[in-house]
Amino acid sequence: MAPETPGCPWPRNYGNQTTLGRNHAWRSEAGEQVGSGAAPEVEVELRLVPEEGEGRRLLVRLRWRREAGLERAAVTLGWAGDRPWAVGRDLSPAPLTAPVRTGRGTPLLAGAGALLLTGGPGLVAARLAPTPGGLEARLFLDDAAERPFATYLECIDRLPRAARAAVVFTDHADRTESAALRAVLFGHSDPRAEGSRGAGLLGRGLAITRSFFVWPGPGTLADPEAWRLASWIAGAGGEVALHSISDGRDDNAAIRAGLEAAAPPGEPSPAIYPLPGEPRLWVFESTFFYAPPAELAQALSDEALEKLERGGGLFVGHTYLGAGPATTPRGLAAARLPVVRRPDGALVPQSGAAALVIDPALDEALARLATRVGQGRLVSLGWAEAGDRLRALGDVTVRYLADGGAEVVNRGALGLSGLAVSLPAAGLELWIDGAPAGDRQELAGRTRIWFDLPAHGRRVVRATRQLLPVPLLPRAPSPAVPTR
């Protein structure tokens, strides 16, 4: 009787490798050099096709004989030549003195002697290394390292605590008015509203990454009111970033002075804006959405959030939630402010200024987000927190143990809180390092558990049913047996 297994499609590699040497399995067909080989799971064919001049195009064909797990497929080329060089991640050619790796964002271009290597469709990455008297290039057709967010998509969730989707707000520093920002954070511009619950971003338990100018004047970190609001954001688990030192062009001396003023001595925080001037270095492109709060609220409707959850999406909203009527008194931008004056014309007692409240439609949208966060369906993250987590998942590996367990290892320097592991089976007893898994969720025939995985740490996951071991890795398929 075959052992029970949850059939979790974690990637697995049975270690097969096909090598085609200079004088092995090569033939000539219509002027093309063709090499072939095979492993139990796959047949491999390489073709060197003449191009115009003296160039050659390398075509690679993989034909799978049966279902198999793939972590990496690569072709290695090497040739003799002096002065090897390559284009690096900075998009500049440089002498190749040590191995370098290029990914999707870097063009493949390298050479040694009189030969030049360029990339083409079908390659996800390359590893280029100098050799005694030449260059070696390993061209990856597929590699788990180039898709860290998809490799363990079925069994290691990208988001903490089994959340289905994430929402991130990054807020711009331009036209910041402390009273308006307070109303967005806590529902009302009165300083007595600070720390209150029930309205606004912080009042509803949502995170925000908020940028500020360091100086000068109101709304910058030189303004005691703005500094206090920045402290509230950081204290509530949000993030405070420096937009730049001022809203003008700062020279090097002003930048050094501003960084020192805005951070503890010896620990200046770098600015995160603007984006690099070279578009090829941008991380992503965004959809331009410049609209009144009611339209933003509609974009965060229940229907839209359901769609976001179904797709396991990440919503990143770049907003101007700190602008108010004092800094934006007229024009099109004034009609798009996130705050309104109290309908009854009330004043803030201490200052005598008109009281501001968060736009009702915007606050209703925040309430929808907060409800889903409370239900565990959404997670509200800061920009750095979300980005660091997604990058750190590339350092998580799974190693299967002889007893049927799985060792989840964090090779990176960032701890992962609430790392969720998902199994396509229900009714299992799951164990973390020998203790029953505490946090778990069963939904639609899947079981999710989550736990903290410290930096450079490991956790061992095991499964049982009625205390009988259940292996987490299906056995490798047996080779097909030909029949007569």
Side-chain angles (χ1 to χ4, degrees):
M1 183 175 181
E4 178 188 9
T5 172
C8 187
W10 284 342
R12 49 195 186 273
N13 185 349
Y14 302 120
N16 293 313
Q17 177 174 313
T18 298
T19 302
L20 300 178
R22 182 185 298 274
N23 300 312
H24 175 70
W26 287 92
R27 63 187 184 275
S28 179
E29 291 183 1
E32 300 178 1
Q33 295 297 309
V34 182
S36 59
E41 290 87 5
V42 65
E43 296 176 356
V44 182
E45 181 183 86
L46 306 181
R47 286 182 177 267
L48 287 172
V49 180
E51 293 280 276
E52 185 178 353
E54 298 184 6
R56 297 290 186 273
R57 176 181 297 182
L58 175 63
L59 303 179
V60 184
R61 177 175 175 264
L62 304 180
R63 188 177 75 83
W64 296 97
R65 294 174 164 178
R66 66 189 187 200
E67 183 178 349
L70 177 68
E71 287 194 12
R72 186 173 297 110
V75 177
T76 301
L77 307 176
W79 68 89
D82 58 353
R83 298 189 298 276
W85 59 273
V87 168
R89 292 176 182 265
D90 61 355
L91 306 181
S92 299
L96 191 62
T97 58
V100 298
R101 183 178 173 110
T102 65
R104 296 179 187 273
T106 307
L108 172 58
L109 189 63
L115 296 185
L116 175 70
L117 175 68
T118 64
L123 297 180
V124 301
R127 182 185 185 275
L128 307 169
T131 60
L135 182 149
E136 180 182 270
R138 179 165 295 178
L139 311 178
F140 294 96
L141 312 177
D142 193 14
D143 188 9
E146 286 298 312
R147 44 182 171 82
F149 312 150
T151 300
Y152 304 114
L153 183 59
E154 292 296 325
C155 292
I156 293 185
D157 292 352
R158 293 173 293 176
L159 301 174
R161 296 175 295 281
R164 304 176 196 173
V167 173
V168 174
F169 288 103
T170 65
D171 201 48
H172 216 280
D174 282 26
R175 297 180 282 115
T176 295
E177 179 183 336
S178 294
L181 180 58
R182 185 182 297 112
V184 168
L185 297 178
F186 298 108
H188 198 287
S189 62
D190 191 326
R192 293 175 297 181
E194 294 178 11
S196 62
R197 309 292 293 180
L201 270 161
L202 299 191
R204 296 190 181 278
L206 302 175
I208 185 172
T209 297
R210 219 293 158 166
S211 68
F212 292 86
F213 296 118
V214 178
W215 56 48
T220 71
L221 294 179
D223 174 5
E225 282 193 82
W227 179 273
R228 191 169 67 247
L229 293 174
S231 300
W232 274 110
I233 292 170
E239 298 166 352
V240 175
L242 305 183
H243 180 289
S244 53
I245 305 307
S246 72
D247 60 357
R249 298 181 64 87
D250 302 305
D251 59 24
N252 289 343
I255 292 172
R256 282 193 295 268
L259 290 176
E260 292 171 358
E267 299 181 13
S269 299
I272 64 171
Y273 302 108
L275 291 172
E278 169 54 67
R280 287 176 294 177
L281 300 181
W282 291 7
V283 178
F284 58 84
E285 294 184 5
S286 60
T287 300
F288 189 74
F289 184 88
Y290 186 50
E295 292 188 32
L296 174 59
Q298 183 60 35
L300 295 173
S301 66
D302 281 321
E303 181 181 1
L305 295 176
E306 288 283 357
K307 184 177 180 180
L308 184 71
E309 291 177 10
R310 286 196 303 270
L314 169 64
F315 172 90
V316 180
H318 185 55
T319 54
Y320 290 75
L321 298 179
T327 57
T328 315
R330 63 183 66 86
L332 187 63
R336 295 182 164 96
L337 293 178
V339 294
V340 297
R341 288 187 171 90
R342 279 269 302 264
D344 59 5
L347 304 179
V348 176
Q350 295 95 324
S351 64
L356 303 176
V357 293
I358 186 171
D359 183 279
L362 177 59
D363 199 39
E364 288 175 7
L366 299 181
R368 288 193 288 272
L369 292 176
T371 297
R372 291 171 181 267
V373 169
Q375 294 169 343
R377 299 164 62 177
L378 279 178
V379 61
S380 175
L381 301 173
W383 172 244
E385 182 184 6
D388 288 348
R389 184 180 187 89
L390 292 177
R391 293 180 61 220
L393 288 176
D395 294 320
V396 176
T397 61
V398 177
R399 185 172 71 90
Y400 299 100
L401 307 178
D403 63 2
E407 182 184 54
V408 185
V409 181
N410 184 356
R411 299 176 299 176
L414 180 70
L416 288 162
S417 63
L419 181 69
V421 172
S422 176
L423 298 173
L428 295 175
E429 300 123 13
L430 296 172
W431 310 80
I432 307 296
D433 293 338
D439 296 313
R440 63 180 293 152
Q441 174 192 85
E442 291 199 11
L443 184 68
R446 301 186 70 88
T447 302
R448 286 184 172 92
I449 58 173
W450 52 94
F451 49 85
D452 294 340
L453 184 62
H456 305 295
R458 59 185 287 278
R459 294 282 187 266
V460 175
V461 181
R462 290 186 173 87
T464 60
R465 190 183 297 277
Q466 297 180 352
L467 300 182
L468 295 178
V470 176
L472 294 176
L473 177 66
R475 292 184 176 180
S478 300
V481 178
T483 59
R484 294 184 184 274

